[in-house]
mmCIF file of all heavy atoms in Angstrom:
data_model
loop_
_atom_site.group_PDB
_atom_site.id
_atom_site.type_symbol
_atom_site.label_atom_id
_atom_site.label_comp_id
_atom_site.label_asym_id
_atom_site.label_seq_id
_atom_site.Cartn_x
_atom_site.Cartn_y
_atom_site.Cartn_z
ATOM 1 N N ASN K 131 9.978 -28.125 21.801
ATOM 2 C CA ASN K 131 11.205 -28.630 22.407
ATOM 3 C C ASN K 131 10.887 -28.901 23.877
ATOM 4 O O ASN K 131 11.163 -28.072 24.740
ATOM 5 C CB ASN K 131 12.338 -27.607 22.272
ATOM 6 C CG ASN K 131 13.669 -28.173 22.682
ATOM 7 O OD1 ASN K 131 13.735 -29.118 23.454
ATOM 8 N ND2 ASN K 131 14.736 -27.580 22.191
ATOM 9 N N PRO K 132 10.265 -30.050 24.148
ATOM 10 C CA PRO K 132 9.763 -30.334 25.505
ATOM 11 C C PRO K 132 10.880 -30.676 26.499
ATOM 12 O O PRO K 132 10.982 -31.783 27.012
ATOM 13 C CB PRO K 132 8.813 -31.502 25.280
ATOM 14 C CG PRO K 132 9.341 -32.190 24.063
ATOM 15 C CD PRO K 132 9.939 -31.112 23.205
ATOM 16 N N PHE K 133 11.697 -29.680 26.774
ATOM 17 C CA PHE K 133 12.863 -29.872 27.631
ATOM 18 C C PHE K 133 12.500 -30.255 29.065
ATOM 19 O O PHE K 133 13.182 -31.062 29.695
ATOM 20 C CB PHE K 133 13.766 -28.627 27.607
ATOM 21 C CG PHE K 133 13.123 -27.376 28.108
ATOM 22 C CD1 PHE K 133 13.320 -26.949 29.402
ATOM 23 C CD2 PHE K 133 12.319 -26.610 27.267
ATOM 24 C CE1 PHE K 133 12.730 -25.784 29.863
ATOM 25 C CE2 PHE K 133 11.732 -25.437 27.717
ATOM 26 C CZ PHE K 133 11.936 -25.025 29.028
ATOM 27 N N MET K 134 11.424 -29.695 29.588
ATOM 28 C CA MET K 134 11.023 -30.035 30.966
ATOM 29 C C MET K 134 10.528 -31.479 31.036
ATOM 30 O O MET K 134 10.846 -32.198 31.980
ATOM 31 C CB MET K 134 9.944 -29.076 31.470
ATOM 32 C CG MET K 134 10.407 -27.652 31.633
ATOM 33 S SD MET K 134 11.581 -27.436 32.977
ATOM 34 C CE MET K 134 10.486 -26.965 34.279
ATOM 35 N N ALA K 135 9.770 -31.915 30.035
ATOM 36 C CA ALA K 135 9.273 -33.291 30.017
ATOM 37 C C ALA K 135 10.435 -34.277 29.900
ATOM 38 O O ALA K 135 10.456 -35.302 30.593
ATOM 39 C CB ALA K 135 8.293 -33.479 28.863
ATOM 40 N N ARG K 136 11.406 -33.972 29.056
ATOM 41 C CA ARG K 136 12.579 -34.842 28.924
ATOM 42 C C ARG K 136 13.348 -34.912 30.247
ATOM 43 O O ARG K 136 13.809 -35.979 30.656
ATOM 44 C CB ARG K 136 13.511 -34.353 27.815
ATOM 45 C CG ARG K 136 12.999 -34.603 26.419
ATOM 46 C CD ARG K 136 14.093 -34.392 25.373
ATOM 47 N NE ARG K 136 14.785 -33.124 25.483
ATOM 48 C CZ ARG K 136 14.429 -32.001 24.887
ATOM 49 N NH1 ARG K 136 13.338 -31.963 24.137
ATOM 50 N NH2 ARG K 136 15.140 -30.894 25.035
ATOM 51 N N ALA K 137 13.485 -33.776 30.897
ATOM 52 C CA ALA K 137 14.194 -33.744 32.178
ATOM 53 C C ALA K 137 13.480 -34.603 33.214
ATOM 54 O O ALA K 137 14.123 -35.335 33.971
ATOM 55 C CB ALA K 137 14.315 -32.302 32.672
ATOM 56 N N LEU K 138 12.166 -34.526 33.243
ATOM 57 C CA LEU K 138 11.403 -35.322 34.211
ATOM 58 C C LEU K 138 11.564 -36.813 33.941
ATOM 59 O O LEU K 138 11.748 -37.598 34.877
ATOM 60 C CB LEU K 138 9.924 -34.923 34.193
ATOM 61 C CG LEU K 138 9.038 -35.620 35.209
ATOM 62 C CD1 LEU K 138 9.532 -35.386 36.630
ATOM 63 C CD2 LEU K 138 7.599 -35.158 35.057
ATOM 64 N N VAL K 139 11.527 -37.205 32.688
ATOM 65 C CA VAL K 139 11.718 -38.620 32.352
ATOM 66 C C VAL K 139 13.099 -39.082 32.803
ATOM 67 O O VAL K 139 13.249 -40.152 33.395
ATOM 68 C CB VAL K 139 11.517 -38.856 30.835
ATOM 69 C CG1 VAL K 139 12.012 -40.227 30.413
ATOM 70 C CG2 VAL K 139 10.052 -38.675 30.463
ATOM 71 N N ARG K 140 14.116 -38.281 32.532
ATOM 72 C CA ARG K 140 15.484 -38.638 32.926
ATOM 73 C C ARG K 140 15.657 -38.678 34.441
ATOM 74 O O ARG K 140 16.386 -39.509 34.972
ATOM 75 C CB ARG K 140 16.484 -37.630 32.347
ATOM 76 C CG ARG K 140 16.832 -37.906 30.924
ATOM 77 C CD ARG K 140 17.826 -36.963 30.339
ATOM 78 N NE ARG K 140 18.889 -36.531 31.238
ATOM 79 C CZ ARG K 140 19.845 -35.703 30.881
ATOM 80 N NH1 ARG K 140 19.886 -35.224 29.658
ATOM 81 N NH2 ARG K 140 20.772 -35.338 31.739
ATOM 82 N N ALA K 141 15.002 -37.775 35.151
ATOM 83 C CA ALA K 141 15.201 -37.637 36.599
ATOM 84 C C ALA K 141 14.360 -38.585 37.433
ATOM 85 O O ALA K 141 14.722 -38.875 38.582
ATOM 86 C CB ALA K 141 14.905 -36.196 37.019
ATOM 87 N N THR K 142 13.255 -39.079 36.911
ATOM 88 C CA THR K 142 12.313 -39.868 37.702
ATOM 89 C C THR K 142 12.948 -41.050 38.440
ATOM 90 O O THR K 142 12.702 -41.222 39.641
ATOM 91 C CB THR K 142 11.120 -40.315 36.844
ATOM 92 O OG1 THR K 142 10.400 -39.141 36.440
ATOM 93 C CG2 THR K 142 10.181 -41.236 37.604
ATOM 94 N N PRO K 143 13.775 -41.877 37.807
ATOM 95 C CA PRO K 143 14.365 -42.991 38.572
ATOM 96 C C PRO K 143 15.200 -42.515 39.767
ATOM 97 O O PRO K 143 15.139 -43.112 40.849
ATOM 98 C CB PRO K 143 15.251 -43.709 37.544
ATOM 99 C CG PRO K 143 14.685 -43.328 36.219
ATOM 100 C CD PRO K 143 14.156 -41.943 36.389
ATOM 101 N N ASN K 144 15.950 -41.441 39.589
ATOM 102 C CA ASN K 144 16.765 -40.923 40.695
ATOM 103 C C ASN K 144 15.900 -40.318 41.791
ATOM 104 O O ASN K 144 16.219 -40.449 42.974
ATOM 105 C CB ASN K 144 17.777 -39.909 40.185
ATOM 106 C CG ASN K 144 18.897 -40.571 39.414
ATOM 107 O OD1 ASN K 144 18.972 -41.786 39.328
ATOM 108 N ND2 ASN K 144 19.762 -39.769 38.843
ATOM 109 N N ILE K 145 14.829 -39.650 41.403
ATOM 110 C CA ILE K 145 13.928 -39.061 42.393
ATOM 111 C C ILE K 145 13.271 -40.168 43.226
ATOM 112 O O ILE K 145 13.174 -40.061 44.451
ATOM 113 C CB ILE K 145 12.882 -38.156 41.715
ATOM 114 C CG1 ILE K 145 13.579 -36.904 41.159
ATOM 115 C CG2 ILE K 145 11.752 -37.794 42.668
ATOM 116 C CD1 ILE K 145 12.705 -36.037 40.282
ATOM 117 N N LYS K 146 12.842 -41.235 42.571
ATOM 118 C CA LYS K 146 12.272 -42.366 43.313
ATOM 119 C C LYS K 146 13.289 -42.909 44.306
ATOM 120 O O LYS K 146 12.952 -43.209 45.453
ATOM 121 C CB LYS K 146 11.839 -43.471 42.348
ATOM 122 C CG LYS K 146 10.581 -43.166 41.594
ATOM 123 C CD LYS K 146 10.225 -44.311 40.664
ATOM 124 C CE LYS K 146 8.965 -44.018 39.893
ATOM 125 N NZ LYS K 146 8.629 -45.098 38.949
ATOM 126 N N GLN K 147 14.531 -43.016 43.867
ATOM 127 C CA GLN K 147 15.586 -43.540 44.745
ATOM 128 C C GLN K 147 15.838 -42.611 45.928
ATOM 129 O O GLN K 147 16.063 -43.075 47.049
ATOM 130 C CB GLN K 147 16.882 -43.752 43.950
ATOM 131 C CG GLN K 147 17.930 -44.531 44.710
ATOM 132 C CD GLN K 147 17.459 -45.947 45.034
ATOM 133 O OE1 GLN K 147 17.073 -46.693 44.157
ATOM 134 N NE2 GLN K 147 17.495 -46.307 46.311
ATOM 135 N N ILE K 148 15.792 -41.312 45.698
ATOM 136 C CA ILE K 148 15.974 -40.335 46.783
ATOM 137 C C ILE K 148 14.924 -40.555 47.866
ATOM 138 O O ILE K 148 15.236 -40.603 49.055
ATOM 139 C CB ILE K 148 15.913 -38.888 46.239
ATOM 140 C CG1 ILE K 148 17.169 -38.591 45.402
ATOM 141 C CG2 ILE K 148 15.728 -37.872 47.365
ATOM 142 C CD1 ILE K 148 17.058 -37.333 44.551
#
Side-chain angles (χ1 to χ4, degrees):
N131 189 336
F133 61 98
M134 294 291 265
R136 286 193 309 270
L138 183 58
V139 167
R140 279 181 37 180
T142 295
N144 287 355
I145 291 171
K146 285 180 180 178
Q147 191 63 55
I148 289 166

